[in-house]
Amino acid sequence: MNKQRSIALVLYGETGSSRDALTDEKYKKLAEALIEAGFTVETVLYHDAVADELEDKLAEFSAVLVWVNPIEKGNNRARLDGLLVNISEKGVFVSTHPDTILKIGTKKVLYTSRDMDWGGDTEMYTDFSDFEKRFLVSLNSSSIRVLKQYRGESGNGVYKVRLADSAGEKLKVTHAPSPHDEQILSKGEFLEKFSPYFNNDGLLINQKWADGLINVVVRCYLTGTKVSGFGYQESNALCPVSRDPDSKVRPTSGRFYFSEHCGLFQDLREIMENKWIPQLQEIHSLTDERMPLLWDIDLFINEVNSKNTESKYTLCEINVSCVSPFPPSCITHLVAALLSCI
């Protein structure tokens, strides 16, 4: 293997899994483009049981591109991230360094960037006693709050919380993966439900409900500091679904992809590259070289026809650990970035 031109595409896979990035619909076009550019590409399947033996193997590649969720089959990325730090120190290019993930790839970024244009009324609780003291009080300032766990994926650990009675003794709780299964809990039951989220240095982020949820979610994909594509989806798991054609609530829709040149999103591209990304880097002390190879920023549109881009969007989340699928337009940018840095 020519190390100067070798790339490992790392996917999660148990022993015996047949997953292959060269044939998987999410990754095969990227793999083909990398091969066409002269790279040797190999799929490497990761799970914690093989972490030790994979470290030596991955250290032989010039670049390692990783698609493993923060929470995968009940496990976290602690062992994988430690492995990636080790091979990075040996000179291997890692698609996103774990230190960068901890800075901008967890829900904590909603709090650290709350003073940016896209931020707002956001609280962070790093221990249960603080959560117990302050969360219920936050319902006095806005009747609906959204709680988000430190690291997660696919809406896991994201909750819509509101009061269930005028006395404030019960709360309605909706979990994003199961939006039709709303729970009504007493204060004691509510606190008991959320106390485990503080285990193992966990935390909870508390955001004011964003009215822009009823509009759409725009996903801005980036390669390093430059926008490389967009996604658009008229749905959100915590937003009620309506079939009434006159309702402001959009029914669930598919996700649509656009290139970075799409005229619908040029206001967002301009402010992202020229203002918001530099601000995010300054807040978190991130150089251009430490920015992720592929990441995305999800935003709600507060006012669909607003010409004021600075107030038009609210941050939903930033995804860094496992960004897939992604717009076809990202592929050219990814290949160019790898050719430049390897």
Side-chain angles (χ1 to χ4, degrees):
M1 179 174 66
N2 178 6
K3 180 171 180 176
Q4 294 304 314
R5 286 282 184 167
S6 59
I7 295 180
L9 304 184
V10 180
L11 311 180
Y12 182 85
E14 301 285 0
T15 301
S17 172
S18 61
R19 293 193 74 188
D20 188 345
L22 278 71
T23 58
D24 190 302
E25 286 297 324
K26 291 182 181 179
Y27 312 107
K28 69 177 186 179
K29 290 183 179 179
L30 172 60
E32 291 168 358
L34 290 169
I35 292 170
E36 185 176 342
F39 291 103
T40 300
V41 179
E42 181 178 337
T43 299
V44 176
L45 298 184
Y46 175 88
H47 61 94
D48 282 353
V50 297
D52 292 339
E53 61 189 80
L54 279 187
E55 183 168 334
D56 290 338
K57 177 181 176 68
L58 291 175
E60 294 301 313
F61 289 88
S62 53
V64 173
L65 313 188
V66 184
W67 286 274
V68 177
N69 284 310
I71 299 176
E72 194 80 63
K73 306 295 184 183
N75 298 315
N76 59 40
R77 277 186 45 142
R79 291 196 67 185
L80 172 59
D81 287 346
L83 180 162
L84 296 175
V85 169
N86 290 341
I87 65 171
S88 175
E89 291 175 350
K90 296 175 182 178
V92 178
F93 175 82
V94 176
S95 53
T96 303
H97 194 283
D99 290 349
T100 300
I101 294 176
L102 293 179
K103 288 184 176 183
I104 61 172
T106 75
K107 298 301 189 295
K108 187 177 179 180
V109 74
L110 296 166
Y111 181 78
T112 54
S113 69
R114 68 193 183 283
D115 292 327
M116 289 176 56
D117 295 330
W118 65 30
D121 179 0
T122 305
E123 297 181 354
M124 180 173 69
Y125 315 110
T126 57
D127 61 69
F128 178 69
S129 61
D130 186 33
F131 173 70
E132 187 177 22
K133 291 175 184 175
R134 292 199 293 132
F135 175 73
L136 295 176
V137 176
S138 72
L139 288 167
N140 296 330
S141 61
S142 60
S143 59
I144 306 176
R145 309 294 298 189
V146 178
L147 280 172
K148 299 180 178 182
Q149 69 170 333
Y150 181 43
R151 300 184 76 171
E153 46 88 19
S154 301
N156 186 19
V158 177
Y159 295 87
K160 176 182 179 181
V161 183
R162 50 189 170 149
L163 294 175
D165 61 2
S166 56
E169 295 300 319
K170 293 185 180 295
L171 299 101
K172 292 181 180 180
V173 179
T174 305
H175 194 202
S178 306
H180 303 295
D181 299 327
E182 186 175 66
Q183 291 182 293
I184 297 181
L185 305 175
S186 68
K187 288 182 179 178
E189 291 170 332
F190 172 81
L191 292 171
E192 182 179 1
K193 179 181 180 67
F194 283 90
S195 64
Y197 284 107
F198 295 95
N199 296 339
N200 301 316
D201 297 320
L203 56 82
L204 283 172
I205 297 297
N206 169 18
Q207 281 186 296
K208 178 183 177 181
W209 174 264
D211 290 333
L213 275 166
I214 68 169
N215 294 320
V216 298
V217 175
V218 175
R219 180 166 283 183
C220 182
Y221 292 85
L222 299 107
T223 300
T225 62
K226 300 298 181 183
V227 175
S228 54
F230 292 98
Y232 171 95
Q233 188 170 10
E234 286 186 332
S235 66
N236 184 276
L238 293 178
C239 198
V241 175
S242 174
R243 299 297 175 185
D244 182 353
D246 296 324
S247 172
K248 292 183 179 180
V249 178
R250 270 67 165 178
T252 301
S253 74
R255 186 181 298 163
F256 303 93
Y257 293 114
F258 304 87
S259 80
E260 72 276 22
H261 301 295
C262 178
L264 297 171
F265 307 110
Q266 289 310 295
D267 64 332
L268 180 56
R269 180 186 180 186
E270 181 178 354
I271 198 169
M272 192 67 73
E273 292 183 346
N274 297 323
K275 183 179 181 183
W276 290 348
I277 298 305
Q279 286 181 340
L280 196 67
Q281 289 181 268
E282 182 177 3
I283 291 169
H284 300 94
S285 301
L286 285 170
T287 63
D288 289 356
E289 292 74 24
R290 280 288 187 171
M291 297 303 286
L293 183 69
L294 176 64
W295 56 303
D296 72 68
I297 299 176
D298 292 2
L299 302 144
F300 304 127
I301 297 182
N302 301 319
E303 187 178 346
V304 175
N305 294 316
S306 173
K307 297 190 183 302
N308 184 350
T309 309
E310 292 182 341
S311 63
K312 185 176 180 179
Y313 299 97
T314 294
L315 178 64
C316 171
E317 64 180 2
I318 296 178
N319 298 298
V320 174
S321 301
C322 186
V323 179
S324 67
F326 43 83
S329 60
C330 293
I331 293 175
T332 300
H333 294 271
L334 293 174
V335 173
L338 287 167
L339 286 169
S340 174
C341 70
I342 295 177

